[in-house]
Amino acid sequence: MSLVQLTIKGISYSHTQNGAYALILNEVNGARKLPIVIGAFEAQAIAIAIEEDLKPPRPLTHDLFKTFCDRFDIVVKQVIIHKLVDGVFFSSIICERDGIEEIIDARTSDAISLALRFDAPIFTYQNILDKAGIYLREQEEADHNEEEDFDDEDDDFDNDDSNDESLNDAIDEFLNLVPNEKASEFASLSVQELNDLLEMAVLNEDYEKAARLRDELSKRNL
């Protein structure tokens, strides 16, 4: 299967679901966008990596991992989003040390956070983009009109409000189709109940549920 390179457009907050964020990836040399549902903690980690002016006073988890890798000459070469199951993306981090390549399974949000810190390319397979990519026909037509009416110096379609509104509508529609347990499953629980469930999930090695509980706790602390 052929790989398609992706770039990061940004992070969007759902206008219809509280606590739901979507990381927006652009198809290189294409018009489709791939939205990936992430939690508040992951959105913060990615936003800090995107914005060079944002420097936390102490290293975040992904920053610590980057320092660790640098110290031991481990390089993240690329990230591949290789599977999509029931709205959940699965990713691999391709690392290299002393000429030996290793493939490490990772949550997509973590993998992208590290890719940003290592300046590593992000890829997905064509069939995943065909299945989950959003194609905005209005954007392509507007881009074409912009090229005809304006020169390169004046062309800044990414800042067009109508384009942003169309993208936000498409993202909200996507989020409504994807199981988003982070936004609603634990909304009625207290912080103490969340902490108790988190401890139980870790003891039971249910790390997927633990991650969702942590995301809910992080959202409460924002």
Side-chain angles (χ1 to χ4, degrees):
M1 288 181 285
S2 60
L3 287 172
V4 179
Q5 187 170 357
L6 304 169
T7 59
I8 296 176
K9 177 179 176 62
I11 298 172
S12 176
Y13 182 79
S14 172
H15 294 76
T16 60
Q17 297 187 35
N18 291 331
Y21 292 82
L23 172 66
I24 312 302
L25 302 176
N26 282 340
E27 175 188 16
V28 173
N29 299 324
R32 287 173 294 185
K33 303 186 185 301
L34 186 66
I36 299 176
V37 179
I38 59 176
F41 177 83
E42 291 77 10
Q44 180 187 53
I46 292 172
I48 288 174
I50 293 173
E51 299 294 336
E52 296 181 357
D53 295 336
L54 292 176
K55 299 293 183 184
R58 299 292 294 159
L60 299 179
T61 303
H62 301 95
D63 300 318
L64 176 61
F65 187 88
K66 172 66 163 59
T67 301
F68 181 90
C69 289
D70 289 343
R71 187 67 57 88
F72 291 94
D73 298 323
I74 301 170
V75 177
V76 171
K77 297 180 63 178
Q78 63 183 8
V79 163
I80 300 177
I81 303 170
H82 62 83
K83 185 167 65 173
L84 174 61
V85 179
D86 296 330
V88 178
F89 292 90
F90 294 76
S91 293
S92 297
I93 301 173
I94 314 301
C95 303
E96 184 179 86
R97 180 173 184 265
D98 296 334
I100 301 175
E101 190 172 276
E102 298 285 349
I103 300 176
I104 300 174
D105 183 42
R107 295 192 309 165
T108 298
S109 55
D110 291 331
I112 291 176
S113 289
L114 292 175
L116 284 167
R117 287 163 170 81
F118 281 88
D119 196 23
I122 302 167
F123 297 92
T124 192
Y125 289 108
Q126 184 69 49
N127 65 323
I128 293 178
L129 197 56
D130 291 341
K131 182 178 180 180
I134 292 175
Y135 182 77
L136 299 179
R137 182 172 298 278
E138 297 88 349
Q139 177 177 338
E140 184 186 55
E141 292 173 353
D143 280 341
H144 179 70
N145 293 334
E146 288 280 348
E147 290 175 0
E148 290 182 346
D149 296 339
F150 300 99
D151 58 26
D152 292 339
E153 192 174 61
D154 295 328
D155 188 11
D156 190 14
F157 184 71
D158 280 342
N159 292 328
D160 190 283
D161 290 340
S162 61
N163 179 53
D164 289 341
E165 184 176 351
S166 297
L167 177 58
N168 286 334
D169 290 343
I171 291 167
D172 283 337
E173 182 178 354
F174 175 85
L175 290 171
N176 287 330
L177 294 175
V178 174
N180 186 17
E181 296 170 305
K182 294 188 290 296
S184 60
E185 182 182 4
F186 308 114
S188 63
L189 300 180
S190 67
V191 171
Q192 182 60 53
E193 290 172 326
L194 290 171
N195 281 313
D196 291 342
L197 284 175
L198 177 58
E199 183 177 355
M200 183 76 68
V202 172
L203 288 174
N204 292 331
E205 297 185 354
D206 187 352
Y207 297 119
E208 182 179 352
K209 183 176 181 180
R212 298 199 305 272
L213 287 161
R214 186 198 62 192
D215 291 341
E216 180 67 24
L217 284 166
S218 298
K219 183 180 69 175
R220 303 281 182 95
N221 292 329
L222 289 179

